[in-house]
Amino acid sequence: MCYLIAKKINDIGSIALRTTHGKNLSEFKRQIERKVGYGEIQLITISRPSAYGEYEPYHFVNTKEDFVKAIEFM
């Protein structure tokens, strides 16, 4: 288990999606990067949100679709 985090550079807070490592995650990240580009949104994978205070507060979403929608409104 891991968390995919999306953070808009220089903004406070981030979006978090609980997921698993692997090919599907890699493909999902590439899909998002193609959609939003590489400039303003940082995508990272972390093991424990509590260990990464610099991305707080977290807004947790339950689905990939919700994750993408939330990024579009960043």
Side-chain angles (χ1 to χ4, degrees):
M1 179 186 70
C2 64
Y3 292 85
L4 178 59
I5 306 297
K7 182 178 185 334
K8 188 169 184 178
I9 296 172
N10 297 325
D11 279 4
I12 296 172
S14 62
I15 302 162
L17 174 68
R18 186 176 173 181
T19 187
T20 57
H21 289 286
K23 184 177 179 180
N24 288 335
L25 175 58
S26 179
E27 290 173 1
F28 182 57
K29 285 174 73 173
R30 277 186 250 137
Q31 174 190 357
I32 293 169
E33 289 168 341
R34 283 191 299 270
K35 189 170 191 167
V36 300
Y38 298 92
E40 292 187 31
I41 305 295
Q42 176 186 24
L43 293 175
I44 62 160
T45 306
I46 62 174
S47 57
R48 289 180 308 142
S50 61
Y52 296 87
E54 64 268 29
Y55 299 105
E56 291 180 338
Y58 294 100
H59 172 73
F60 291 92
V61 295
N62 295 318
T63 67
K64 289 181 177 181
E65 293 80 15
D66 290 343
F67 189 78
V68 172
K69 285 179 189 176
I71 290 173
E72 290 174 351
F73 290 105
M74 289 182 105

